[in-house]
């Protein structure tokens, strides 16, 4: 018997013996010696047929393996099952116990740039979190991001950034709503982008914690060649337990096993909702592990008036492990309904948060000063009154950024406008 060709995927191993037209899939394997095995053989048309029902076995238990061999030999006598199962048992256990491979680091990489799945907000193969209170259009924003990556469309563009994707397959895991909700949202977003085709991406209704369902997720990620996973939302996907830190750690360990980019949606503590327009971050609800383990985090602030068919958001970069934080990103979402009140399309575009009295509060004081001085020079006292800040704070900021602001005597102005 020749050794098989082995293909290692996310959470599974494929053993192929061409001389027997045999493929054995080992999945859900662990270093205690347990694995689930499935046996396939190609028929005359080349299609794989399942030879035996999926079997969970202890690869270290000789009586169990012998029993499985006898069961297989009853119907397929031309295959050396003892040799096959002996090889699979030893190799699967070896791979399970060796863990992730060791790599040498220290050489100059091909590029020093951080690679993004969706520039500049989703770092490739790393976890990113977007959080806010409920009702802040997180799911719409996530569906929009999914469309950009899946269908290779440029997204929101302003004077600082344009959202540029590396295209690939997206998987949306949903603990919050239904497939009907997402079908409606995604179709409306596609209409807003000008995508008038039946192209889709996979969606999965979820109810178990991510860590408990990770083997199934791993299989989907591998079979569908998923590059971006969206989790809606973390509070439900984490599950529950006596130790919130441990629960959050299990969630991020499960994400890490998938080896793909992930976007997690999360909520904030309800007791903090009244502060949602303040510049200070609320932080995602729960353990500090969420902040520590997520590679990059964005908070959403919202401005919307009753009966308006649009909302404006500020996407505020609160954490990034690589490089500097982005300036707050202004996003306007327009909802277009037909005469019957049915949603027809949703359009995302950039907006200037300095023009929004509520959202402008999330800008740095320097940026807010630039905004009010764009209309002309002003005394420090007037700036302090307009921004509701102490004069000393205003004066200190102006003096700290003399590359931007210029003292004109009784008034200050922008250096770019200095005559």
């Amino acid at each position: 018997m020749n050794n098989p060709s082995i293909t290692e995927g996310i959470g599974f191993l494929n053993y192929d013996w061409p001389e027997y037209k045999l493929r054995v899939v080992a999945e859900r394997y662990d270093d205690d010696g347990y694995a689930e095995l499935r046996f396939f053989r190609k028929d005359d048309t080349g299609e794989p047929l399942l030879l035996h029902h999926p079997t969970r076995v202890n690869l270290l238990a000789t009586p169990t393996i012998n029993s499985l061999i006898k069961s297989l030999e009853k119907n397929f006598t031309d295959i050396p099952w003892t040799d096959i199962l002996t090889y699979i048992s030893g190799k699967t256990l070896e791979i399970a116990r060796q863990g992730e491979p060791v790599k040498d680091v220290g050489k100059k990489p091909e590029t020093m740039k951080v690679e993004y799945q969706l520039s500049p907000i989703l770092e490739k193969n790393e976890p990113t979190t977007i959080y806010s209170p409920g009702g802040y259009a997180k799911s719409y924003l996530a569906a929009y991001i999914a469309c950009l990556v899946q269908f290779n469309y440029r997204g929101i563009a302003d004077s600082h950034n344009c959202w540029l994707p590396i295209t690939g397959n997206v998987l949306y895991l949903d603990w919050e709503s239904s497939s009907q909700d997402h079908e409606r949202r995604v179709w409306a977003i596609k209409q807003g982008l000008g995508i008038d085709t039946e192209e889709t991406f996979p969606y999965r209704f979820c109810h178990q914690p991510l860590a408990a369902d990770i083997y199934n997720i791993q299989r989907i990620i591998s079979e569908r060649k998923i590059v971006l996973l969206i989790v809606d939302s973390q509070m439900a996907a984490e599950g529950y337990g006596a130790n919130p830190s441990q629960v959050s750690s299990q969630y991020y360990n499960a994400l890490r096993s998938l080896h793909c980019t992930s976007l997690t949606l999360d909520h904030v503590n309800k007791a903090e909702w009244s502060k949602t327009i303040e510049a200070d971050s609320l932080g995602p609800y729960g353990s500090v592990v969420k902040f520590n383990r997520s590679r990059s985090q964005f908070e959403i602030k919202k401005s919307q008036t009753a009966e308006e068919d649009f909302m404006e958001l500020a996407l505020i970069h609160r954490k990034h492990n690589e490089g500097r934080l982005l300036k707050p990103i202004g996003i306007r979402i327009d909802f277009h309904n037909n005469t019957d009140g049915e949603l027809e399309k949703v359009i995302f575009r950039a907006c200037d948060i300095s023009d929004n009295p509520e959202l402008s509060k999330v800008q740095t004081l320097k940026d807010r000063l630039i905004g009010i001085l764009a209309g002309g020079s002003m005394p420090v006292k007037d700036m302090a009154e307009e921004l509701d800040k102490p004069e000393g704070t205003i004066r200190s900021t102006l003096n700290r950024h003399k590359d931007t602001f210029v003292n004109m005597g009784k008034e200050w102005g922008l250096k770019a406008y200095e005559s």
Side-chain angles (χ1 to χ4, degrees):
M1 182 191 77
N2 295 321
N3 287 339
S5 62
I6 303 174
T7 304
E8 186 171 355
I10 301 173
F12 72 90
L13 297 166
N14 269 338
Y15 296 95
D16 282 290
W17 279 273
E19 66 265 39
Y20 305 116
K21 299 180 180 179
L22 177 69
R23 176 164 62 93
V24 183
V25 180
E27 54 190 352
R28 302 183 183 230
Y29 54 87
D30 57 44
D31 57 8
D32 289 329
Y34 287 90
E36 186 175 294
L37 302 180
R38 290 184 291 153
F39 300 84
F40 299 89
R41 196 175 197 184
K42 292 182 180 179
D43 61 14
D44 293 338
T45 67
E47 290 296 318
L49 297 176
L50 184 65
L51 302 185
H52 194 278
H53 60 80
T55 304
R56 181 78 173 166
V57 297
N58 183 348
L59 301 175
L60 296 172
T62 301
T64 303
I65 296 298
N66 287 339
S67 175
L68 178 58
I69 290 172
K70 289 180 180 179
S71 177
L72 290 164
E73 285 178 338
K74 286 181 181 179
N75 297 310
F76 309 98
T77 58
D78 60 325
I79 296 177
W81 290 113
T82 298
D83 293 338
I84 296 286
L85 268 297
T86 299
Y87 184 90
I88 289 173
S89 297
K91 196 65 176 178
T92 301
L93 193 59
E94 175 190 330
I95 292 173
R97 290 182 171 177
Q98 73 185 11
E100 294 291 333
V102 175
K103 294 184 178 181
D104 296 324
V105 298
K107 296 180 181 178
K108 184 178 180 180
E110 293 182 5
T111 177
M112 295 296 288
K113 291 182 179 180
V114 175
E115 190 173 5
Y116 287 87
Q117 195 70 53
L118 179 64
S119 176
I121 63 170
L122 297 183
E123 191 176 338
K124 190 172 183 180
N125 294 331
E126 299 292 349
T128 296
T129 300
I130 294 178
Y131 63 92
S132 76
Y136 275 49
K138 290 189 297 295
S139 295
Y140 270 101
L141 181 59
Y144 174 71
I145 289 170
C147 288
L148 298 182
V149 175
Q150 181 72 46
F151 307 128
N152 195 25
Y153 269 69
R154 291 189 175 195
I156 295 165
D158 58 23
S159 59
H160 302 292
N161 299 292
C162 177
W163 291 12
L164 300 174
I166 296 177
T167 188
N169 294 329
V170 179
L171 173 63
Y172 200 113
L173 301 182
D174 180 24
W175 279 260
E176 297 257 327
S177 53
S178 67
S179 60
Q180 291 80 10
D181 289 336
H182 283 276
E183 284 176 345
R184 185 171 57 252
R185 292 170 186 166
V186 172
W187 181 254
I189 290 168
K190 286 173 64 179
Q191 299 313 291
L193 288 169
I195 306 173
D196 199 20
T197 68
E198 296 290 330
E199 292 178 277
T200 63
F201 57 83
Y203 161 95
R204 190 170 187 262
F205 179 94
C206 299
H207 59 88
Q208 296 186 68
L210 180 71
D213 202 22
I214 194 62
Y215 291 117
N216 290 320
I217 305 299
Q218 287 174 341
R219 186 173 67 251
I220 297 170
I221 294 286
S222 183
E223 291 176 351
R224 299 271 192 152
K225 295 181 173 58
I226 300 298
V227 302
L228 171 60
L229 175 71
I230 297 176
V231 177
D232 187 0
S233 65
Q234 185 170 356
M235 186 167 62
E238 276 192 354
Y240 55 88
N243 187 329
S245 296
Q246 186 177 40
V247 171
S248 293
S249 291
Q250 289 173 342
Y251 172 82
Y252 281 104
N253 289 343
L255 271 188
R256 190 170 174 83
S257 76
L258 301 175
H259 297 274
C260 69
T261 308
S262 65
L263 170 61
T264 296
L265 307 184
D266 203 4
H267 297 82
V268 300
N269 191 325
K270 185 176 180 180
E272 301 293 325
W273 284 16
S274 62
K275 304 176 183 177
T276 54
I277 299 298
E278 297 301 321
D280 292 337
S281 171
L282 303 180
Y285 178 81
S287 169
V288 70
V289 169
K290 291 183 175 183
F291 181 82
N292 293 335
R293 292 292 300 273
S294 184
R295 185 82 167 184
S296 184
Q297 289 200 345
F298 293 86
E299 182 182 1
I300 295 178
K301 299 292 180 73
K302 180 182 77 168
S303 175
Q304 186 180 27
T305 303
E307 298 187 354
E308 286 182 339
D309 55 5
F310 72 92
M311 66 172 66
E312 291 186 338
L313 309 176
L315 192 62
I316 309 153
H317 206 184
R318 296 299 190 187
K319 178 203 175 185
H320 193 205
N321 283 10
E322 291 284 342
R324 60 187 181 183
L325 299 176
L326 300 170
K327 287 179 176 288
I329 301 170
I331 302 170
R332 175 171 166 140
I333 309 176
D334 289 281
F335 300 88
H336 296 264
N337 298 326
N338 61 21
T339 54
D340 294 326
E342 297 176 331
L343 184 63
E344 285 192 323
K345 64 181 176 180
V346 177
I347 297 176
F348 286 74
R349 56 190 175 91
C351 68
D352 189 346
I353 60 176
S354 64
D355 294 335
N356 187 304
E358 291 180 288
L359 296 182
S360 64
K361 296 177 183 178
V362 307
Q363 293 181 297
T364 64
L365 183 54
K366 175 187 175 183
D367 286 338
R368 296 180 72 186
L369 287 168
I370 291 173
I372 64 172
L373 290 176
S377 60
M378 295 176 64
V380 170
K381 181 180 179 181
D382 292 351
M383 286 186 274
E385 288 179 357
E386 183 164 341
L387 298 179
D388 194 23
K389 296 289 184 181
E391 289 186 34
T393 302
I394 298 294
R395 190 171 285 107
S396 175
T397 303
L398 293 168
N399 281 305
R400 193 166 63 250
H401 298 285
K402 287 187 175 180
D403 57 333
T404 303
F405 307 107
V406 58
N407 189 339
M408 304 168 67
K410 294 182 179 181
E411 296 184 343
W412 284 75
L414 291 175
K415 200 171 186 65
Y417 298 161
E418 183 181 9
S419 58

